[in-house]
C-alpha cells in the first residue's frame, strides 16, 4: 500500500527534466581579463505545489579580452531548492538557494590549471506553468569562497538564464 501511495504522489506531482541556456558575467578580479560567456546545462526537478527541488548541471566559459589566448571554463553541479512565493494559475515568481560543486579550468596558450571548489547558489525566477511543465527566466548567482581561512574572499558569477522543464 505504501508503494502505491509513493507512486501516486510522484505521478500527481511534477517530476520534470529539461535544459537551460543563458549568459554569465565575470566579476571581481577576473572581469578585467575576461568577457561574458554563454552557459548551457541540464536539470532534473521535482515539484510539489509551490516547492521544487532541482539537481542541475551548468557549463560556461569566459573567453579572454580582445585576442588574448586566455579562457576560464566552469563545470558546476548543484542541488537547489526553490519556493514559489507568488503563485498564480499559469505563472509565478520563485526564490531559491542551493549548494554546488564546481570544477574550474583556466588555460593560457598551452598552459592549463584545474581547481575544484564548493559554491552557493542564490536565484530569483519568473515561471510560466503549462500543466506540470514549466518555462522560467531569471537570475542565478554562484558564490565561490576563496582566500585564506582568516580572511575569506567571496567571488560571485551572476547568470541570466532561461530554463525549460518537461513534466512526465
Amino acid at each position: 500500500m505504501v508503494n502505491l501511495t509513493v507512486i501516486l504522489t510522484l505521478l500527481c506531482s511534477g517530476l520534470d527534466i529539461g535544459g537551460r541556456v543563458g549568459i554569465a558575467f565575470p566579476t571581481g578580479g577576473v572581469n578585467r581579463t575576461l568577457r561574458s560567456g554563454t552557459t548551457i546545462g541540464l536539470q532534473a526537478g521535482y515539484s510539489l505545489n509551490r516547492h521544487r527541488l532541482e539537481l542541475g548541471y551548468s557549463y560556461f566559459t569566459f573567453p579572454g579580452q580582445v585576442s588574448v589566448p586566455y579562457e576560464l571554463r566552469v563545470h558546476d553541479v548543484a542541488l537547489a531548492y526553490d519556493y514559489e512565493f507568488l503563485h498564480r494559475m499559469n505563472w509565478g515568481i520563485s526564490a531559491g538557494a542551493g549548494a554546488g560543486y564546481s570544477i574550474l579550468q583556466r588555460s593560457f596558450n598551452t598552459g592549463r590549471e584545474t581547481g575544484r571548489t564548493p559554491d552557493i547558489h542564490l536565484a530569483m525566477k519568473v515561471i510560466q506553468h503549462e500543466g506540470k511543465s514549466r518555462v522560467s527566466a531569471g537570475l542565478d548567482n554562484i558564490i565561490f569562497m576563496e582566500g585564506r581561512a582568516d580572511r575569506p574572499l567571496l567571488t560571485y558569477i551572476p547568470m541570466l538564464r532561461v530554463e525549460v522543464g518537461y513534466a512526465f
Side-chain angles (χ1 to χ4, degrees), residues 93-135:
I93 298 175
S94 72
Y101 190 75
S102 291
I103 298 173
L104 298 99
Q105 297 174 335
R106 183 169 62 170
S107 61
F108 181 73
N109 286 331
T110 58
R112 178 176 284 171
E113 292 179 322
T114 302
R116 294 169 173 77
T117 183
D119 55 55
I120 298 168
H121 288 253
L122 298 174
M124 181 75 77
K125 302 174 191 172
V126 176
I127 302 166
Q128 190 234 339
H129 304 281
E130 185 62 42
K132 299 219 184 290
S133 298
R134 54 190 288 283
V135 174

Side-chain angles (χ1 to χ4, degrees), residues 2-135:
V2 173
N3 291 336
L4 183 60
T5 305
V6 170
I7 291 170
L8 287 174
T9 303
L10 286 173
L11 291 175
C12 293
S13 58
L15 181 63
D16 65 81
I17 60 170
R20 56 177 70 152
V21 295
I23 186 167
F25 304 97
T27 60
V30 296
N31 67 349
R32 291 185 291 267
T33 57
L34 300 173
R35 292 180 298 169
S36 301
T38 57
T39 177
I40 59 172
L42 301 170
Q43 65 189 11
Y46 178 75
S47 300
L48 184 61
N49 297 330
R50 295 179 172 206
H51 307 276
R52 183 165 192 271
L53 189 62
E54 174 184 291
L55 178 62
Y57 165 77
S58 294
Y59 169 77
F60 50 97
T61 180
F62 296 123
Q65 294 278 12
V66 191
S67 62
V68 177
Y70 181 78
E71 185 178 49
L72 176 65
R73 289 181 296 282
V74 180
H75 298 270
D76 180 64
V77 175
L79 181 64
Y81 168 77
D82 286 336
Y83 178 72
E84 195 171 337
F85 62 89
L86 178 61
H87 181 75
R88 299 292 181 251
M89 179 76 115
N90 291 328
W91 66 278
I93 298 175
S94 72
Y101 190 75
S102 291
I103 298 173
L104 298 99
Q105 297 174 335
R106 183 169 62 170
S107 61
F108 181 73
N109 286 331
T110 58
R112 178 176 284 171
E113 292 179 322
T114 302
R116 294 169 173 77
T117 183
D119 55 55
I120 298 168
H121 288 253
L122 298 174
M124 181 75 77
K125 302 174 191 172
V126 176
I127 302 166
Q128 190 234 339
H129 304 281
E130 185 62 42
K132 299 219 184 290
S133 298
R134 54 190 288 283
V135 174

Side-chain angles (χ1 to χ4, degrees), residues 147-166:
R148 299 187 311 247
D150 62 337
R151 201 175 109 205
L153 175 66
L154 298 178
T155 300
Y156 66 96
I157 297 176
M159 291 188 290
L160 292 173
R161 67 180 188 206
V162 176
E163 301 174 346
V164 176
Y166 178 73

